[in-house]
Amino acid sequence: MASTSQQTAPVIDITMPWFGMDIGGSLCKLVYFEPKDITKDEADSEVETLRNIRRYLTKNSAYGKTGHRDTHLQVHEMGQNWRGTAHFGDAATACFMASPLMEDVYIRGRKGTLHFIRFPSSEMVNFLALAKSKGMANLVTTVCATGGGAYKFEEDFRREVNMKLEKFDEFDSLLKGLQFADAQNPSECYYWASPTDDTCCTKINYDFSNPYPFLIVNIGSGVSVLAVYSPTNYKRISGTSLGGGTFLGLCCLLTGCNTFEEAIQLAAEGDNTNVDKLVRDIYGGDYERFGLPGDLVASRERRSKVSRQDLARATLVTITNNIGSIARMCATQEKIDRVVFMGNFLRVNPIAMKLLAYAMDYWSKGTMKALFLEHEGYFGAIGCLLQFHNDGDIKSQVLASLKYGVKMHFIQKKKEKFSLILPASSIHLAPCKFKNEETERIQCIFPPTWYSNVCNDVCAHSDQSCCGKRKRQFNNVCCQDENEEESEDTCDPCQSQRSKSVCKQPVCSQKGGSQSTCSKCYAPATKKSRRGGAAPCPKPRPPVCSRKRRKGPPKSVYDDYCQLCPQTDAEDDDEDQCDIGYKSPIPRKKTPNTAESYANIVLHYLSKLKGLFKSARERNNDSSSYFDGEKYDPISKSILKKGIRRSGYSDSDSENKQKVYDIVNAALQYGCANDIIEKVGNYFLVKAKSPPQKVATRRPTPGPDYFRCASCKNLSKFATRRKSVVDLRGKDKISSKFRRHSTYYDDDYGRTTPTRRKRSASNTSVVNYCPKCYSRMKSNRRL
Ligand SMILES: Nc1ncnc2c1ncn2[C@@H]1O[C@H](COP(=O)(O)OP(=O)(O)O)[C@@H](O)[C@H]1O
Ligand SMILES: CC(C)(COP(=O)(O)O)[C@@H](O)C(=O)NCCC(=O)O
């Protein structure tokens, strides 16, 4: 059998098409992931239909009459990009051309290119017919979909192309897509400098790595305004029906144009002042007292001799200004100063973007910033794609692994979501720009929607995460009750909501920000942090373990051990209470953010698997590093012997074995421990030396090795020569203190039982004393 060490284990069946769909009121956005790391085996197993579909999607840029692929959002192509040179100065072009877009992105551990396709939602029937003609119906696929159309067209998809729509919330998807795009594309976010001056107006990159809080104004058919406080904490605060749909509808009616592109083209050539009545038309100049400039549109009215162009421009300006005004009010109300505008209304629409940029800046007196994004209207579809349909399988695996304690090191389940604990807590998740391999790995396993309310941004730059939720299991900070209602207050740096009862321990590692106290734990911020520096709060975190543990010995090898204190952990957390505050004898170390740290975790659980085969290995006098019934020769890389007898296991053992086996296998598949473990055939081979495992230490009990001192009752280890004294029962010279013990009979194992036998010369027995008591007795009583 060939070694698997060189190959990347396929995570999910790549041979099925990976689509994310956002079916909106006007446009259907389709994001397609084209795999670039397809192996020969995968290529061979791929059916002809799929190959054709891939070729059709990636080789064309127009589909039917109304479908288009936005190639400029996938890769920069000189000349093809409308932003390239036509509208902007050199600086803007240079900035744009320098940035990578969506080629060679990693999703679920697979490398590929994202393709961005759109067509009018009204063409859904034709789209389905096309998909059917390409053989989609034979594939029986599941596609993640969002937007109103995911509900509206669900039945049509099933009927026409045998496709199941896995539906996701459109704003959840929007946010996930935005985080992903920003993490992938360094120049995703930008703003307009000098928006009113056509000659020097430039597009400048905006570093969006620490974005919270911000406002999203999604201008699609209608407009939705979301206030976003953290990657998963947001609310829809407002909206208006006067959006892109209104503009297009009005413009078509007023000018007789037919398409959005035509409407924008007309608007670019028109002058809205020919239509609009300005403040200066009424006041003769500015209305200074209330700061209304003369060229502000006072009202909209149709005058004589206006061109189609003027009408288009006036419609565009009207709709845009109205949205800008709502956005500004929302931002003021929420005390947010960054407003991100997105949605396809902004597609090929620099007039609207510049107007918004100017309006936000002017009316906020420079305190608010309008931000824009390259992939304007595709975030919902991207977010959907990230929630690829096989997630269901992964989710059940993760749930199973949590149940058996396998991944408790780095995952915890919070309601319907999972949050990542160590070592993931020190890992940069999107939208942080400092991505690394581990981030991708963890993101491969856990789709973004499963992340709990974690702080991804500020925590990312240090191990001292400010978000208590992630470290809850380690009880470092802010241990929040799972079912607790969260308050409105937010943690300043990360903007994650905080609980009213957080931080019973007044400790925190987070930055104080501009507050005088840390808003999460109320610990005073340092002077440095008050100045906005990055000093951590002064108090150290106590190394306590909050995990509940079982009292007494473990039931089986599958009992979970608390990793902090070496006590056995309860299967059911609610039943057995751990001593909260029990000091960990194991110093908590900063977990290095390396691939090895993942591998070590997996190795730890592999040891459980190993445990099951221990007896088999011993019987076969075989100590090599494999865990299943096949012997492996690392030199020839082949299996030498098959079928080691596996007698002596109970049914539950083999059931457990299978579960742990599955989980370790899954972890390997997702690339968690490929450097150290290799799967060959039906077993795992440890390639590197396993790290020392934390072994749960049991308290010594009286037995062949230990005895209980008849005097002090402490347990002592038997020396090679046992120190015993003969209790002469009345004939001795032992003081009353020691005589008290003579009424007890200590057996060979140190068990002390009261004796009912009468005193007699023959009633003598061996009594064990610890060396300390023995020597004390000997010296004091001349024994
Ligand atoms: N090719 C196009 N066809 C129709 N509308 C377009 C087009 N390009 C941009 N738009 C604008 O984008 C709006 C739709 O934006 P989008 O973000 O896709 O919202 P929705 O999800 O409601 O479809 C339209 O109302 C229109 O103003
Ligand atoms: C209903 C919608 C969320 C649908 O999203 P869309 O397809 O427009 O992107 C959106 O059109 C909207 O928020 N409309 C505004 C409704 C209002 O607040 O008046």
Side-chain angles (χ1 to χ4, degrees):
M1 193 171 293
S3 162
T4 55
S5 60
Q6 297 303 314
Q7 82 186 43
T8 314
V11 177
I12 300 170
D13 185 4
I14 198 79
T15 59
M16 296 309 275
W18 291 16
F19 289 126
M21 266 188 145
D22 176 3
I23 313 173
S26 306
L27 292 174
C28 176
K29 283 76 61 179
L30 179 69
V31 173
Y32 168 61
F33 179 77
E34 181 200 3
K36 286 289 168 73
D37 59 351
I38 203 153
T39 62
K40 193 174 173 306
D41 284 352
E42 288 169 341
D44 290 346
S45 66
E46 193 179 44
V47 290
E48 188 64 21
T49 316
L50 275 167
R51 209 168 303 140
N52 290 342
I53 290 172
R54 186 165 65 240
R55 209 171 297 140
Y56 177 70
L57 289 175
T58 58
K59 297 286 175 267
N60 294 301
S61 54
Y63 314 93
K65 282 189 188 136
T66 52
H68 292 277
R69 184 156 63 94
D70 286 318
T71 48
H72 69 277
L73 296 180
Q74 165 203 337
V75 62
H76 298 296
E77 290 166 25
M78 267 290 192
Q80 263 200 25
N81 189 345
W82 70 272
R83 294 183 200 282
T85 48
H87 299 265
F88 312 115
D90 284 349
T93 308
C95 145
F96 182 69
M97 299 310 292
S99 60
L101 283 173
M102 294 295 178
E103 294 231 301
D104 294 344
V105 296
Y106 282 87
I107 298 180
R108 303 257 179 290
R110 302 306 301 248
K111 190 174 163 186
T113 297
L114 288 184
H115 297 271
F116 301 91
I117 297 162
R118 63 184 153 82
F119 60 88
S121 300
S122 56
E123 293 290 321
M124 190 55 79
V125 175
N126 292 334
F127 168 78
L128 291 175
L130 180 75
K132 198 174 183 178
S133 73
K134 298 281 170 202
M136 276 301 273
N138 305 326
L139 298 175
V140 197
T141 45
T142 303
V143 166
C144 293
T146 189
Y151 297 84
K152 186 176 164 189
F153 297 110
E154 189 177 13
E155 181 50 30
D156 302 85
F157 270 83
R158 198 200 52 73
R159 191 183 55 247
E160 297 299 319
V161 281
N162 234 335
M163 213 184 249
K164 182 176 176 291
L165 294 188
E166 192 85 45
K167 298 185 289 302
F168 292 92
D169 179 81
E170 68 174 288
F171 297 129
D172 282 355
S173 304
L174 194 79
L175 221 54
K176 297 299 168 201
L178 166 60
Q179 287 157 16
F180 178 84
D182 183 60
Q184 293 294 334
N185 181 21
S187 57
E188 183 65 40
C189 187
Y190 62 92
Y191 66 94
W192 290 96
S194 316
T196 47
D197 187 344
D198 271 350
T199 51
C200 60
C201 173
T202 45
K203 206 174 112 178
I204 313 274
N205 243 9
Y206 184 82
D207 179 6
F208 204 52
S209 55
N210 189 11
Y212 304 103
F214 65 94
L215 212 66
I216 285 183
V217 180
N218 184 39
I219 320 176
S221 309
V223 182
S224 290
V225 184
L226 313 178
V228 188
Y229 303 102
S230 80
T232 49
N233 177 15
Y234 70 89
K235 57 183 179 187
R236 185 181 185 278
I237 53 171
S238 186
T240 170
S241 55
L242 303 183
T246 321
F247 161 70
L248 189 54
L250 269 181
C251 212
C252 290
L253 286 173
L254 289 171
T255 67
C257 70
N258 291 312
T259 65
F260 182 77
E261 289 77 5
E262 218 182 314
I264 294 295
Q265 187 58 41
L266 285 173
E269 294 159 9
D271 181 356
N272 60 303
T273 60
N274 291 338
V275 180
D276 296 334
K277 188 169 269 182
L278 307 183
V279 168
R280 95 164 85 84
D281 295 329
I282 301 170
Y283 270 76
D286 299 347
Y287 181 8
E288 275 171 17
R289 186 177 171 208
F290 291 104
L292 301 179
D295 53 6
L296 182 77
V297 179
S299 75
R300 256 99 214 192
E301 48 185 69
R302 196 184 192 302
R303 298 188 193 172
S304 54
K305 288 196 184 163
V306 291
S307 65
R308 289 169 69 221
Q309 287 80 353
D310 295 341
L311 284 169
R313 180 71 166 227
T315 312
L316 183 59
V317 172
T318 305
I319 297 293
T320 307
N321 277 345
N322 188 49
I323 294 168
S325 175
I326 292 169
R328 188 177 54 82
M329 283 191 288
C330 291
T332 309
Q333 181 194 307
E334 293 295 312
K335 298 185 179 58
I336 289 176
D337 56 13
R338 280 169 295 188
V339 183
V340 180
F341 292 94
M342 59 172 82
N344 275 321
F345 171 68
L346 300 174
R347 199 178 74 78
V348 292
N349 195 354
I351 301 170
M353 286 193 275
K354 290 178 192 177
L355 261 177
L356 289 168
Y358 172 74
M360 294 302 292
D361 185 67
Y362 182 86
W363 291 112
S364 71
K365 297 191 172 59
T367 58
M368 286 177 196
K369 195 157 210 71
L371 300 170
F372 303 93
L373 301 159
E374 296 291 355
H375 292 84
E376 293 133 353
Y378 281 104
F379 300 110
I382 298 174
C384 247
L385 173 70
L386 299 174
Q387 304 168 83
F388 187 66
H389 62 270
N390 277 17
D391 284 356
D393 301 341
I394 303 172
K395 191 168 184 170
S396 53
Q397 271 184 8
V398 174
L399 276 173
S401 60
L402 275 179
K403 192 172 167 202
Y404 289 92
V406 172
K407 285 187 177 130
M408 283 187 169
H409 268 74
F410 57 104
I411 319 166
Q412 74 182 42
K413 186 159 187 287
K414 186 174 160 118
K415 291 180 186 162
E416 280 313 302
K417 300 198 172 192
F418 299 98
S419 63
L420 308 172
I421 321 167
L422 282 172
S425 60
S426 56
I427 280 173
H428 316 306
L429 295 173
C432 180
K433 296 273 165 52
F434 300 93
K435 274 165 59 66
N436 56 29
E437 212 181 331
E438 283 71 43
T439 316
E440 277 163 7
R441 284 180 178 176
I442 211 85
Q443 283 176 332
C444 285
I445 304 178
F446 311 107
T449 42
W450 298 0
Y451 301 152
S452 193
N453 203 8
V454 294
C455 170
N456 284 341
D457 46 345
V458 288
C459 303
H461 298 95
S462 76
D463 176 56
Q464 305 245 309
S465 151
C466 74
C467 182
K469 286 182 178 178
R470 277 207 205 165
K471 294 199 168 187
R472 180 178 166 275
Q473 195 160 346
F474 292 84
N475 206 25
N476 288 338
V477 282
C478 306
C479 34
Q480 300 194 9
D481 182 4
E482 298 222 339
N483 300 316
E484 207 171 82
E485 283 299 313
E486 286 167 342
S487 77
E488 293 288 310
D489 298 335
T490 55
C491 157
D492 281 317
C494 65
Q495 293 304 329
S496 61
Q497 285 190 336
R498 71 177 151 94
S499 158
K500 281 204 169 90
S501 64
V502 295
C503 288
K504 284 153 198 136
Q505 309 157 35
V507 290
C508 182
S509 60
Q510 72 184 39
K511 300 168 188 177
S514 56
Q515 305 292 309
S516 58
T517 56
C518 160
S519 57
K520 196 140 198 158
C521 68
Y522 313 111
T526 59
K527 271 185 189 168
K528 196 177 170 196
S529 66
R530 246 177 265 140
R531 287 198 307 268
C537 292
K539 296 184 188 174
R541 291 176 285 184
V544 292
C545 168
S546 66
R547 294 195 61 190
K548 296 166 181 181
R549 65 177 165 85
R550 179 188 297 283
K551 290 191 178 80
K555 277 195 310 194
S556 74
V557 290
Y558 280 98
D559 275 356
D560 299 312
Y561 297 104
C562 168
Q563 299 304 315
L564 299 181
C565 45
Q567 305 292 333
T568 52
D569 192 19
E571 262 180 22
D572 181 355
D573 274 0
D574 294 335
E575 279 172 15
D576 301 298
Q577 192 65 35
C578 166
D579 314 331
I580 293 186
Y582 173 79
K583 277 225 169 185
S584 166
I586 304 167
R588 193 169 299 107
K589 284 191 204 138
K590 183 179 164 187
T591 306
N593 186 11
T594 61
E596 210 176 322
S597 57
Y598 286 95
N600 288 349
I601 287 164
V602 177
L603 272 177
H604 169 79
Y605 291 107
L606 262 177
S607 69
K608 293 189 173 188
L609 194 61
K610 199 173 173 180
L612 276 172
F613 284 89
K614 198 165 175 268
S615 52
R617 282 207 317 279
E618 276 166 4
R619 261 197 305 281
N620 289 283
N621 195 23
D622 186 350
S623 59
S624 57
S625 295
Y626 60 84
F627 310 119
D628 210 341
E630 292 167 338
K631 189 173 178 182
Y632 177 72
D633 176 8
I635 298 165
S636 69
K637 294 211 165 186
S638 63
I639 292 163
L640 299 178
K641 194 170 75 181
K642 287 199 176 185
I644 290 173
R645 210 155 53 84
R646 295 193 209 165
S647 58
Y649 305 127
S650 69
D651 283 351
S652 66
D653 268 359
S654 52
E655 208 174 277
N656 284 335
K657 186 215 103 177
Q658 188 56 46
K659 276 165 188 157
V660 179
Y661 186 94
D662 286 348
I663 288 149
V664 175
N665 198 14
L668 265 184
Q669 275 202 338
Y670 302 133
C672 278
N674 287 343
D675 292 347
I676 298 196
I677 307 163
E678 183 181 353
K679 184 162 185 271
V680 181
N682 208 19
Y683 68 94
F684 300 103
L685 171 74
V686 179
K687 294 196 269 182
K689 203 168 175 260
S690 338
Q693 300 296 331
K694 288 166 197 160
V695 180
T697 53
R698 288 214 212 151
R699 292 172 78 85
T701 50
D705 297 331
Y706 290 91
F707 67 93
R708 200 175 290 284
C709 171
S711 169
C712 65
K713 300 292 176 204
N714 286 337
L715 281 169
S716 295
K717 206 168 171 80
F718 281 123
T720 326
R721 229 181 106 242
R722 293 183 189 183
K723 293 196 188 281
S724 310
V725 291
V726 174
D727 185 355
L728 298 172
R729 308 270 165 172
K731 295 178 192 171
D732 60 4
K733 293 172 188 154
I734 302 173
S735 72
S736 59
K737 188 182 171 196
F738 290 104
R739 196 173 292 132
R740 190 161 52 87
H741 297 286
S742 66
T743 57
Y744 288 85
Y745 170 79
D746 285 15
D747 69 13
D748 237 14
Y749 295 124
R751 285 188 294 254
T752 311
T753 48
T755 175
R756 289 194 180 82
R757 287 184 226 170
K758 285 185 184 168
R759 275 189 201 181
S760 75
S762 61
N763 190 18
T764 58
S765 64
V766 175
V767 179
N768 295 312
Y769 291 102
C770 67
K772 211 168 153 191
C773 294
Y774 178 77
S775 56
R776 192 152 43 101
M777 284 161 64
K778 202 172 171 186
S779 61
N780 288 352
R781 307 297 164 201
R782 301 188 302 279
L783 260 175

